[in-house]
Amino acid sequence: MKRAVQGTTVDVITEDGTADAYLAHPEGDGPFPAVLFYMDAFGLRPHLEKMADRLAGAGYVVLVPNVFYRAGRAPVVELPEYIDPAARPGLFEQIMPMLRSLTPDSLMSDARAYLQFLADSPLAADGPVGVTGYCMGAGLALRTAGTYPGRVAAAAGFHGANLASEADDSPHLLAGSVTAELYFAHADQDAAMPAEQVERLEKALTDAGVTHRCEVYAGAHHGYTQADTAAYNAEAAERHWTELLALFSRTLKS
């Protein structure tokens, strides 16, 4: 049963400053199982807040940090209400320098602060958390699960980008440290996650003995969960919700 939800902007103190974030939770005192929700490259915005609200309505306290906080508070980039293909080049001219400025070390330092915020929150239940991420956030979800295995019980990524590249710091190289249950749903014919990377990720997780499932959503494009973009695919988005909620239901302490 869907619960009434409260949402607010909060500040998370990190080693590099203050990250603004959206915090959503069911009405009431809790505690509730906690979820760290990593944004896509378009950043913290109303659509992601709606997604967090939906997850909170299922009984979770959800933190959605502005990963680009070093460049300013959200919205860091001015976005149209609907992101169509014509808008993307201009937006990515602004987004890519911020993306390139982030390092795995800085991102995982931030992740430690996000996880500590949830651990300190009276709204959050004790114990490990769930993590979900979209586009760039899928890689952050995998990296967080591998960097903080004692804190992450489950992690999911949807239409992830470069999860298993040939780079020396590719997220899949952390597979051996993961203790969480993982679920990844790739977009069909996604240039950001080609078939060879899908296979490399599957092999890394299997070889490491990680409990996981990786699927390719046929007919879905990169960004299929994002209803404020032209990539949105309603069927694939609903499938994502079914899998995500099932994952958290079986892994997170209530």
Side-chain angles (χ1 to χ4, degrees):
M1 183 176 67
K2 184 177 180 180
R3 308 185 192 184
V5 169
Q6 294 179 339
T8 187
T9 298
V10 297
D11 287 341
V12 179
I13 305 304
T14 75
E15 288 188 357
D16 290 339
T18 301
D20 54 310
Y22 181 71
L23 185 72
H25 60 88
E27 286 188 351
D29 296 331
F32 311 102
V35 173
L36 174 57
F37 181 125
Y38 280 122
M39 67 188 209
D40 64 352
F42 291 126
L44 181 54
R45 61 195 190 280
H47 172 62
L48 294 192
E49 293 178 0
K50 290 179 182 177
M51 292 181 70
D53 288 349
R54 179 166 175 176
L55 191 51
Y60 301 94
V61 55
V62 185
L63 181 70
V64 192
N66 168 23
V67 175
F68 294 150
Y69 72 88
R70 292 171 181 82
R73 297 180 72 86
V76 181
V77 175
E78 186 175 346
L79 298 170
E81 288 188 11
Y82 182 75
I83 303 169
D84 61 22
R88 293 176 68 93
L91 292 174
F92 273 101
E93 282 185 12
Q94 303 172 70
I95 291 167
M96 290 309 296
M98 292 188 291
L99 267 176
R100 294 190 185 104
S101 72
L102 297 173
T103 66
D105 285 346
S106 66
L107 289 164
M108 289 304 96
S109 173
D110 291 345
R112 182 169 59 248
Y114 305 147
L115 293 170
Q116 190 61 51
F117 179 93
L118 289 169
D120 292 342
S121 172
L123 291 167
D126 293 337
V129 308
V131 185
T132 186
Y134 303 84
C135 180
M136 61 175 273
L140 295 181
L142 176 53
R143 201 178 291 281
T144 301
T147 304
Y148 302 105
R151 291 287 293 124
V152 180
F158 300 91
H159 46 84
N162 293 312
L163 298 178
S165 73
E166 295 182 341
D168 293 340
D169 58 0
S170 175
H172 80 287
L173 297 175
L174 293 170
S177 299
V178 173
T179 58
E181 180 177 344
L182 304 183
Y183 177 80
F184 289 96
H186 312 298
D188 192 21
Q189 301 181 19
D190 185 351
M193 191 64 190
E196 60 267 24
Q197 288 201 40
V198 172
E199 293 170 6
R200 190 179 295 132
L201 175 63
E202 175 66 36
K203 184 177 188 305
L205 297 177
T206 299
D207 289 351
V210 176
T211 301
H212 72 282
R213 187 153 51 96
C214 297
E215 298 185 304
V216 176
Y217 288 8
H221 296 284
H222 183 79
Y224 60 79
T225 61
Q226 304 301 301
D228 59 348
T229 77
Y232 180 64
N233 181 305
E235 182 179 354
E238 285 306 309
R239 182 178 174 186
H240 131 270
W241 281 116
T242 298
E243 296 291 352
L244 182 64
L245 291 173
L247 173 67
F248 289 162
S249 177
R250 64 179 174 262
T251 56
L252 299 186
K253 177 182 176 182
S254 59

